[in-house]
């Protein structure tokens, strides 16, 4: 698994391009803009984009989905509870919905979906036990966690979601929706002081 990272859109959202070298199939998490750059990366690496996943419904995580989907034919997936947020961009309706415990497969890559409501009702994380990585969206960041003062946020739900993430192995690398990568172990204090 190789992870490319781009900062996209007006608030520099992290967009991750994950390729499976064995099959040249790829997955993009949070296509928030700069679609030409993403397409260029795909071309350079000789990857075929199969899936676009939005970690949640805020505009900065799906502003580039329509163009990327039109250019690649990839399927677009997210949690149903955040679909209302798609109207803030021109993103298309999802081709399917992701729920807690679902598996997302792309070539030989396999991610388990962890539903982590709190920042938004339909927030999800993608977890690979084999690769020991978590794509945490706006749930967990380096040194802090996602805002819970937004419309449709829920602080109690956020605390439960963070508690679930604390069950992951401490060495799990966390790739968040904004800012730098971290690990579950490094954020243990942040998570525990949330309640
Ligand atoms: Zn957000
Ligand atoms: Zn965001």
């Amino acid at each position: 698994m190789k992870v490319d990272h781009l900062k996209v859109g007006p608030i520099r959202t992290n967009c991750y391009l994950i390729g499976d070298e064995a099959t040249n199939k790829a997955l993009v998490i949070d296509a928030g803009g700069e679609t030409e750059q993403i397409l260029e990366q795909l071309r350079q690496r000789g990857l075929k984009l199969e899936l676009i996943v939005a970690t949640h419904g805020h505009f900065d995580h799906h502003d580039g989905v329509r163009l990327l989907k039109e250019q690649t034919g990839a399927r677009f997936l997210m949690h149903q509870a955040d679909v209302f947020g798609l109207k803030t961009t021109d993103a298309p309706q999802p081709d399917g919905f992701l729920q807690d415990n679902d598996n997302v497969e792309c070539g030989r890559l396999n991610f388990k979906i962890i539903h982590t409501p709190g920042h938004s009702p339909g927030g999800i994380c993608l977890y690979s036990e084999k690769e020991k990585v978590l794509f945490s969206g706006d749930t967990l960041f380096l040194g802090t966690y996602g805002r819970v003062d937004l419309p449709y946020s829920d602080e109690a739900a956020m605390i439960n979601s963070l508690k679930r993430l604390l069950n992951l192995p401490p060495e799990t690398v966390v790739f968040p929706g904004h800012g730098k990568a971290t690990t579950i172990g490094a954020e243990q204090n942040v998570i525990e002081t949330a309640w």
Side-chain angles (χ1 to χ4, degrees), residues 76-95:
F76 170 44
L77 305 173
M78 66 182 291
H79 195 284
Q80 192 161 17
D82 265 21
V83 166
F84 70 94
L86 294 178
K87 61 179 183 288
T88 56
T89 68
D90 66 353
Q93 288 300 300
D95 299 298

Side-chain angles (χ1 to χ4, degrees), residues 55-56 58 60-61 119 136-141 145-146 158 177-178:
T55 57
H56 63 294
H58 291 151
D60 56 308
H61 298 259
H119 175 69
S136 63
D138 286 1
T139 296
L140 181 63
F141 301 118
Y145 54 91
M158 174 61 101
H178 302 271

Side-chain angles (χ1 to χ4, degrees), residues 123-163:
I124 56 168
C125 296
L126 292 89
Y127 174 58
S128 168
E129 190 174 8
K130 183 172 152 238
E131 307 279 352
K132 295 196 176 348
V133 296
L134 179 81
F135 294 89
S136 63
D138 286 1
T139 296
L140 181 63
F141 301 118
L142 172 68
T144 188
Y145 54 91
R147 288 177 62 176
V148 289
D149 59 338
L150 301 167
Y152 308 102
S153 291
D154 180 336
E155 192 170 5
M158 174 61 101
I159 289 168
N160 275 329
S161 293
L162 292 170
K163 281 182 179 171

